[in-house]
Amino acid sequence: MQVVCLDLEGVLIPEIWINVAERLGVADLRLTTRDIADYDELMQTRLRILAREGIKIGDISDTIRHMTPLSGACTFVDELQKLVPLVILSDTFVQFAGPLMRQLGNPTLFCNELVIDEAGSIHGYRLRQQDGKRRAVAAFHSMNLEVIAAGDSYNDVSMLNEANSAAFFRAPKDIAAQFPQFPRLENYEQLLDFIREQIGR
Amino acid sequence: MQVVCLDLEGVLIPEIWINVAERLGVADLRLTTRDIADYDELMQTRLRILAREGIKIGDISDTIRHMTPLSGACTFVDELQKLVPLVILSDTFVQFAGPLMRQLGNPTLFCNELVIDEAGSIHGYRLRQQDGKRRAVAAFHSMNLEVIAAGDSYNDVSMLNEANSAAFFRAPKDIAAQFPQFPRLENYEQLLDFIREQIGR
């Protein structure tokens, strides 16, 4: 039996932090792992910016509620789930993903969590685990599941490497060029075709 | 982060083999693990009956297409998936579950597979793995996920034991009485309340 593991941001929904930065008008919240490679350092920087600006979870939720999944993503998820089990593996936070996941029909998502106090201030975050995408694929293997994976960036590469078959989806050219073993797919039709080929349907 | 693991037959949908036996009018297809305790022996018996009666996958699919999930199950699954990731762990076969899973909105399902030839004859089956429900819970633990589980029968007990918290759902009294450590829930409202309590929402 197979399972499909997909990244969330950039594959099914837009980049959340970038959208939040734009909608709240806080330029330095646009920083990503391309600017600060160390994830914990990046998150601590983001948390300091949120505290500096007095931004609470409600402000962020309000902006996320105005976001929609990428064009065609809802239909793609529907079609995919008719064919094969889906688990989304993401580095986002459960408190961010909620409104967008509802629009996608609430497929199964394993991600991280923000630590939020009763007043809505964000004090920290809890990683599900280090190297969580790769370890999830390994855990699916221990369930005797074949894993088909797709993602768009560096933080997906260990997942793609661990999977039985894998592809980039809308990956930046420079990243895709470093890992030529993965086909570079650009639209949901191609991704669905790739998955159909792997499951023989 | 948490994940909910649910059994399928008896919890969200009716028992498939019993329905197939009734609709096809083949009494001895009603045999279950209560009649033949060894699962492989039971399945080999079922396969012999299918061959004897000339029953193909199409005949079974036709009867399954007339089945519906248990009353309230679709709403329950919708509500649950807004709260927490769901993975259904079942001993059924992917070729049986399809039509009913579609009615439930295609939540993520890990189960077994039938070996079917091009003419639709069923020649065998492939277990995902031995003791697959318990091992799936163990694999979720290796992803640093807390597992909340519910099932209705003997084949769920190893899953319930391995989970962080667990309940019986509509379990026969005699089975539930042997495992008094698990609360015995009778309707979806109770099950949703139990899960809400575990996730603190």
Side-chain angles (χ1 to χ4, degrees):
Chain A
M1 186 172 206
Q2 292 114 333
V3 62
V4 168
C5 294
L6 294 182
D7 178 34
L8 182 62
E9 293 178 73
V11 175
L12 299 174
I13 66 172
E15 295 289 337
I16 291 179
W17 281 106
I18 290 176
N19 270 266
V20 167
E22 282 173 5
R23 284 170 191 272
L24 294 179
V26 182
D28 50 0
L29 269 185
R30 284 189 62 108
L31 294 169
T32 72
T33 46
R34 291 181 208 170
D35 307 294
I36 302 179
D38 182 84
Y39 184 75
D40 185 63
E41 195 186 325
L42 174 63
M43 274 305 299
Q44 298 304 338
T45 304
R46 285 169 170 165
L47 293 172
R48 275 194 302 274
I49 297 168
L50 295 182
R52 181 194 76 204
E53 303 287 330
I55 296 169
K56 296 192 173 187
I57 185 64
D59 306 311
I60 298 180
S61 301
D62 283 346
T63 74
I64 293 174
R65 265 193 286 274
H66 290 95
M67 291 173 62
T68 54
L70 296 174
S71 172
C74 295
T75 307
F76 166 73
V77 168
D78 277 354
E79 287 302 308
L80 181 60
Q81 290 191 299
K82 288 180 197 165
L83 291 175
V84 56
L86 167 65
V87 175
I88 298 171
L89 300 176
S90 172
D91 287 333
T92 194
F93 302 100
V94 65
Q95 293 95 338
F96 283 9
L100 287 155
M101 294 305 288
R102 275 191 272 288
Q103 296 180 62
L104 290 169
N106 286 309
T108 302
L109 165 70
F110 298 154
C111 63
N112 303 314
E113 289 174 284
L114 291 170
V115 180
I116 301 171
D117 69 17
E118 285 185 6
S121 297
I122 302 169
H123 291 284
Y125 70 98
R126 274 192 292 269
L127 279 191
R128 182 169 56 76
Q129 64 189 171
Q130 288 291 338
D131 200 14
K133 294 193 187 208
R134 186 192 60 74
R135 288 167 73 180
V137 175
F140 288 131
H141 285 159
S142 80
M143 297 186 204
N144 204 23
L145 296 165
E146 266 182 45
V147 179
I148 305 159
D152 74 332
S153 194
Y154 280 123
N155 69 335
D156 298 307
V157 169
S158 75
M159 168 177 81
L160 303 187
N161 272 325
E162 189 83 13
N164 298 77
S165 54
F168 276 123
F169 185 76
R170 296 183 184 162
K173 268 188 189 169
D174 59 322
I175 296 179
Q178 293 172 55
F179 306 96
Q181 67 268 40
F182 305 123
R184 187 162 163 250
L185 311 178
E186 292 298 325
N187 62 55
Y188 293 123
E189 202 179 346
Q190 290 171 346
L191 183 51
L192 212 50
D193 283 347
F194 175 79
I195 292 166
R196 279 183 200 277
E197 205 173 295
Q198 308 307 317
I199 63 176
R201 285 175 66 186
Chain B
M1 186 171 205
Q2 293 115 331
V3 62
V4 168
C5 293
L6 294 182
D7 179 34
L8 182 61
E9 293 177 73
V11 175
L12 298 174
I13 66 172
E15 296 289 337
I16 291 179
W17 281 106
I18 290 176
N19 270 265
V20 167
E22 281 173 6
R23 284 171 191 271
L24 294 178
V26 182
D28 51 0
L29 270 185
R30 286 189 62 109
L31 294 168
T32 72
T33 45
R34 291 180 208 170
D35 307 295
I36 302 179
D38 182 83
Y39 184 76
D40 185 63
E41 194 186 326
L42 174 63
M43 274 305 300
Q44 298 304 339
T45 303
R46 285 168 170 166
L47 293 172
R48 275 195 302 273
I49 297 168
L50 296 182
R52 181 193 76 203
E53 302 287 330
I55 296 169
K56 297 192 173 187
I57 185 64
D59 307 310
I60 298 180
S61 301
D62 283 345
T63 74
I64 293 174
R65 265 193 287 273
H66 290 95
M67 291 174 62
T68 54
L70 296 175
S71 172
C74 295
T75 308
F76 166 73
V77 167
D78 277 355
E79 287 303 308
L80 181 61
Q81 290 192 298
K82 288 180 197 166
L83 291 176
V84 56
L86 167 66
V87 174
I88 297 171
L89 300 176
S90 172
D91 287 334
T92 192
F93 302 100
V94 64
Q95 295 95 338
F96 283 9
L100 288 155
M101 293 305 288
R102 275 191 272 287
Q103 296 180 62
L104 290 169
N106 286 309
T108 302
L109 165 70
F110 299 153
C111 64
N112 303 315
E113 289 174 284
L114 291 170
V115 180
I116 302 171
D117 70 17
E118 285 184 6
S121 296
I122 302 169
H123 291 284
Y125 71 99
R126 273 193 294 267
L127 279 191
R128 182 169 55 77
Q129 64 189 173
Q130 289 291 338
D131 199 14
K133 294 193 187 210
R134 187 191 61 74
R135 288 167 73 180
V137 174
F140 287 130
H141 284 159
S142 80
M143 297 186 204
N144 204 22
L145 295 166
E146 265 182 46
V147 179
I148 304 159
D152 73 331
S153 194
Y154 280 123
N155 69 336
D156 298 307
V157 169
S158 75
M159 168 177 81
L160 303 187
N161 272 324
E162 189 83 11
N164 299 76
S165 54
F168 276 124
F169 184 76
R170 294 183 185 163
K173 269 189 191 168
D174 59 322
I175 296 179
Q178 293 171 55
F179 306 95
Q181 67 268 43
F182 304 124
R184 187 163 162 248
L185 311 177
E186 292 299 324
N187 61 55
Y188 294 123
E189 203 179 347
Q190 289 171 347
L191 183 53
L192 211 50
D193 282 347
F194 174 80
I195 293 166
R196 279 183 200 275
E197 205 174 297
Q198 307 307 317
I199 63 177
R201 286 176 64 185

